[in-house]
Amino acid sequence: MSEISTKPYMLRAIYEWCTDSGYTPYLAVKVDAATTVPMEYVKKGEIVLNISFGATSGLKMDNDSIRFHARFGGVSREIYVPVNNVMAIYANENGQGMAFEPQLGGRDDAPAPAPASAPAPLAPVSSAPTLAPVPTPAPQARPADADGEDGPDDGGDPPKKGGGRPTLTRIK
């Protein structure tokens, strides 16, 4: 017996938490040939989708896929996202949520959607990129800016949250 993935259960749990808390749930999706999304909104092979009750119709989140209808530019479109392609689900208002490694290619036995208009297929994705540590220079070795200063005079405070677009923080 193969092990059942926890990912679809976590996606549904974060979705429920977002809606119960009054937040807007968003999905970050890696787009490949298995996804059905409006290609004109795809940037760098990824798309971010608002999956709130008010933005979707007929939302169904099962163990293999997420399906719904949504309006893009006033036109209703059918959306199909394999669970394996979901990179993150988060609350738009504060960025809290969960990130995942997309597992492109999906399952062999997963049914492919029958889109009304087939989007142009993307080039096949090669191996997934890997992260490597970036060496940090010693404090005395930092180069000065063009104006002779060491950096912005922001008092060393981190960027303030609130206002602007939230960011997703990956915690491992």
Side-chain angles (χ1 to χ4, degrees):
M1 183 170 156
S2 65
E3 188 173 323
I4 299 174
S5 172
T6 58
K7 187 173 181 179
Y9 298 92
M10 300 304 282
L11 291 171
R12 289 190 292 266
I14 298 294
Y15 174 84
E16 187 174 329
W17 169 80
C18 284
T19 56
D20 287 353
S21 301
Y23 297 136
T24 309
Y26 273 58
L27 277 183
V29 177
K30 188 72 172 172
V31 177
D32 66 5
T35 57
T36 304
V37 297
M39 296 307 284
E40 61 269 25
Y41 294 93
V42 174
K43 294 181 182 167
K44 297 181 182 179
E46 299 175 359
I47 190 168
V48 176
L49 301 166
N50 176 347
I51 60 168
S52 67
F53 179 78
T56 63
S57 173
L59 176 66
K60 182 176 180 187
M61 299 176 76
D62 61 27
N63 289 350
D64 296 322
S65 65
I66 299 170
R67 302 171 188 246
F68 58 93
H69 285 82
R71 292 192 171 275
F72 292 85
V75 178
S76 180
R77 306 283 284 269
E78 183 179 347
I79 306 301
Y80 175 88
V81 175
V83 167
N84 287 336
N85 289 46
V86 175
M87 298 187 314
I89 183 168
Y90 61 96
N92 186 49
E93 291 79 3
N94 61 14
Q96 291 183 5
M98 187 171 283
F100 305 93
E101 288 293 326
Q103 299 162 335
L104 301 180
R107 293 174 29 189
D108 294 335
D109 60 342
S117 61
L122 295 176
V125 177
S126 60
S127 64
T130 57
L131 296 176
V134 176
T136 55
Q140 66 273 18
R142 280 191 357 207
D145 289 345
D147 60 2
E149 294 183 16
D150 284 341
D153 188 16
D154 61 1
D157 295 330
K160 293 182 180 165
K161 296 202 178 198
R165 188 171 178 166
T167 59
L168 180 66
T169 304
R170 226 178 234 204
I171 301 172
K172 291 193 176 191

